[in-house]
């Protein structure tokens, strides 16, 4: 009997662990690595331009972009020819951010996060796709330098 209890508890914990990664909660987007490199912005914009032509793509921000990466990225997107709709915040009672499309364009959000002490990942969430790239971070004096580690990956689907 005790053996079955352990199995049930283990299965319940496993289910909780698996399901904890599901969902799209507000606040999951942003610049958690506090990176502010012009090179990161230019590289992210170049990846977008390959997959989403500027003059033909409308973007709707689903997060606040006032951080050191978001502001220059949005400005660069506009200069490149993207139509960018401002973030207006979640609708009253809306617990989750949209992930596919909004009436004014493809939903757009980003995440910059540290994977290790000297590794950074940039993820761009555009509609139902995600573009991601890893970077090695190396300090040069007081300023960090970012070196791409491989190509941009493109994940399709929600």
């Amino acid at each position: 009997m005790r053996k079955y209890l352990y199995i049930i508890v283990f299965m319940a914990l496993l289910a909780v662990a698996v399901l904890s990664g599901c969902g799209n909660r507000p606040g999951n987007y942003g610049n958690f690595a506090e990176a502010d490199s012009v090179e990161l912005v230019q590289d992210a914009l170049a990846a977008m331009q390959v997959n989403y032509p500027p003059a033909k793509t409308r973007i709707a921000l689903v997060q606040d972009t006032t951080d050191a990466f978001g502001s220059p990225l949005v400005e660069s997107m506009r200069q490149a020819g993207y139509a960018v709709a401002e973030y207006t915040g979640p609708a009253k009672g809306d617990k989750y951010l949209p992930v596919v499309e909004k009436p004014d364009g493809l939903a757009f959000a980003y995440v910059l996060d540290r994977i290790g002490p000297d590794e950074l990942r940039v993820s761009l969430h555009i509609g139902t796709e995600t573009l991601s790239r890893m970077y090695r971070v190396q300090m040069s004096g007081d300023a960090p330098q970012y070196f791409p580690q491989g190509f941009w990956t493109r994940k399709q689907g929600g």
Side-chain angles (χ1 to χ4, degrees), residues 1-154:
M1 183 68 176
R2 189 174 244 183
K3 176 181 171 183
Y4 294 112
L5 181 61
Y6 288 129
I7 291 173
I8 292 171
V9 169
F10 174 75
M11 295 301 280
L13 289 174
L14 182 63
V16 168
V18 169
L19 293 176
S20 67
C22 297
N24 186 18
R25 297 177 296 267
N28 285 347
Y29 302 122
N31 185 353
F32 302 108
E34 299 179 11
D36 62 352
S37 169
V38 172
E39 290 81 15
L40 288 177
V41 169
Q42 291 172 345
D43 196 31
L45 182 63
M48 285 183 62
Q49 290 173 326
V50 167
N51 295 287
Y52 301 93
K56 298 179 181 182
T57 305
R58 296 174 53 103
I59 299 292
L61 301 175
V62 295
Q63 75 181 87
D64 184 26
T65 58
T66 57
D67 60 79
F69 177 79
S71 293
L73 178 62
V74 170
E75 182 61 30
S76 296
M77 289 166 58
R78 286 189 170 121
Q79 289 176 357
Y82 287 98
V84 180
E86 292 294 328
Y87 172 66
T88 57
K92 185 176 179 180
D94 191 7
K95 295 181 182 178
Y96 302 103
L97 295 175
V99 294
V100 182
E101 287 192 31
K102 293 182 68 175
D104 42 2
L106 291 173
F108 178 85
Y110 58 85
V111 178
L112 276 74
D113 54 351
R114 291 233 180 236
I115 303 302
D118 61 345
E119 293 178 319
L120 171 87
R121 175 179 55 197
V122 174
S123 299
L124 307 174
H125 303 279
I126 307 167
T128 60
E129 297 183 346
T130 301
L131 303 174
S132 294
R133 191 173 201 181
M134 296 287 297
Y135 296 85
R136 182 172 46 87
V137 182
Q138 183 176 340
M139 293 304 290
S140 175
D142 290 336
Q145 290 184 316
Y146 303 96
F147 300 97
Q149 301 297 294
F151 298 102
W152 281 93
T153 61
R154 183 176 179 185

